[in-house]
Amino acid sequence: MTTNGYYYLGLDLSTQQLKCTVMNDTHDIVLEEAVNFDRDLPEFNTTHGAIQNGDTVTSPTIMWVKAIDILFDRLKNSPVTGKIRGISGAGQQHGSVYWSKSGIEKLDHLDPKKTLQEQLSDAFEINQSPIWQDASTTRECRTLEALVGGPQALADLTGSKAYERFTGNQIAKIYHDRKDAYDKTQNISLVSSFIATVLLGKLAPVDSPEGSGTNLMNIETHRWEEKLLEHCGGSTLHEKLGLEPVEGGKSLGKINSYYVERFGLHPDCAIMPFTGDNSATLVSMNLQEGDCVVSLGTSDTVLVYLKQGAAKATTESHLMAHPTDPTGFMGMLCYKNGSLTRQHIRDTYASSDWDEFNKLLQTDIQDKTGFYYHMQEIIPFAKGIYRFENGGQVQEFENPAANVRAIVESQFLSIRIRLQRMTTVESKRILATGGAAANTALLQVLSNVLGLPVYKQKGMNSASLGGALLAKYGVVDHADNGFKEMMEKHAIGEPELVCKPDLESTKKYAARENEYVRLEKLVVDQQ
C-alpha cells in the first residue's frame, strides 16, 4: 500500500497534559500541540494533573474527555487533519477508567453537534480514575503475592511483583471498598485503551505492553491469567476487561464518524492499539540491544530492549511485553520521585533557581549520601528523607547545600545498581529524554555514575512520536517488513552526543555501591 501524502497522529495522555504529534510518511514532524490540564482546564482543580489525598492519587476522567475535545478542536483547521490515515498513541501507565453501561452505549451514538464532555458527563461509574502515583493498595498487593507463592513467583508469572500502582491492585481495592460501583461498571479500560475506545466509539483492547502493567497478564502468553482476575475482581472481571490483550501494528477499525463530521478527519482513518507512555518512548527511540533510555520526567524511568533469553524477572524491576517485537521484552525501572522531588530540593536549597542548583551540583560531597522519597517511592518501597554522613544517619548535612548533589547521585546510583541486577547485557550508551534532559549538568552526573556516554534526541515529545510511528506501522503493509525495516527506510536521525563520562569518577561511584546498598537497607528497615 502506498502512503505518499498521508499523515499519522500520535497522542500521549500523560499525567500533566494531552500531547499530540503529527508526522508525514517520511517521519518528519509537521505539527505538535498540547493541552495542559492545570493551565487549560483549571476548573478541575488538579495539581500537576492529579488530585492527591494522602496515598490516594486520582485524575478526573471527564477532564481527559474535555482535553480530547480541545485538542481535536485545535487540529480541525490544520490542512493535514483530513489526510491523517492512522492514529495511535500512549497513556500514562496503570491508570484505569470505569465505564458505565450507558457510557459504553453512548459511544456508538455520538452527536457531532455536541462536545464529548457534554455527551459523556455521566459515562463513568467512578469519576476519579486511579493513576500511577497512587500508593494506597499495599493490602491488595500482599494478598495477590500470597496467592501465587510470593513476590518472585508473581514476577515470574506477570513480569513484576505486586506494585501499588498496577491496575490489578487498583481494581481489587475498588472491588473490596466500592463494590456497588464495581458491580455497576460495564467495562474497565486502561488510560491508553480509554483513548482508543473514545476514538473508535466502542471498547478497545489493551496492547500487551499495557497488559504487562496490570499484574493480571501472563508475561509469556500475553493472555489474562484467570486466577489473578478472579482474585482481583471476582468472576466478572474478565467480562469487564472485555477483550484479550493484542499486539501492536494491527488496526482496531476506522475512526468513529463523530470525528469525521465534527473535526474533518478522513473516514478511512484507522485506529491502532494504544500503548503505555514508556513503551511508546521505546518505539520513538528505535532501541537496539545495548541502548538504555533514561527518561527524566515527573517520574524517572529506565528502559532497555531485552531479547528473549536476556530478560530476567526481578522483584524490583519490570519485565514487559515489547510493543513491536512479540517475542522480545522491555525491561523497566520506575521511580516515583523524579523531577518534582528534584524541584523540591532546588526550591529548598538553591533559591528556586536551576542555575544555582547546577552550580551546587559541582560541589564535592565525599562521605555524604541522601535518600529523597518525597512521595511514596517504588524502588525501594520507602517514604521520607534520610541523610547519612560518614556512615551515620544525620538530621541534616553539615553543609545543607550538599543535598543538591546528594539527591542526584542517589537517584542515579540506584539506576546503576538495578540495571546490573536486571540483565547481563551490557549497556553501551544512554539515550536521555524527558523534561529534565534539558539540563546538561544533570546529564553529566548521569554519565559519570553509569560510565556511559549520554545522547539526546532534539525537540521531541517522545511518547506521542512513538504513537505516530505505531499508527504508521499499523497502516502500512508489514507482512514482509517489520518495524525495524520501516525505521531503516526513514530514519528519524541519530541522537546527538551530549556528554562523555569521566571514568575516574565512575570508578569512585562503583566503589560506593556496597555502602549505598547498606544504607538503603537501613532506610527500608525504618519503614
Side-chain angles (χ1 to χ4, degrees), residues 276-291:
D277 48 2
N278 294 305
S279 44
T281 296
L282 181 146
V283 166
S284 74
M285 295 193 154
N286 195 25
L287 284 205
Q288 307 302 312
E289 206 169 22
D291 286 344

Side-chain angles (χ1 to χ4, degrees), residues 380-400:
F381 190 74
K383 191 173 184 179
I385 294 177
Y386 306 86
R387 300 175 183 88
F388 297 87
E389 199 154 359
N390 299 312
Q393 192 163 353
V394 295
Q395 191 66 32
E396 179 56 278
F397 292 131
E398 196 175 318
N399 174 13

Side-chain angles (χ1 to χ4, degrees), residues 456-475:
K456 198 169 68 168
Q457 283 178 312
K458 279 187 168 178
M460 289 180 180
N461 287 319
S462 51
S464 54
L465 175 61
L469 289 165
L470 287 171
K472 182 185 176 186
Y473 181 52
V475 168

Side-chain angles (χ1 to χ4, degrees), residues 8-12 19-23 71 86-90 274 463-469 471:
Y8 309 92
L9 171 63
L11 301 171
D12 174 28
K19 294 170 280 197
C20 82
T21 297
V22 180
M23 71 171 200
L71 188 73
I87 303 176
S88 184
F274 277 53
S464 54
L465 175 61
L469 289 165

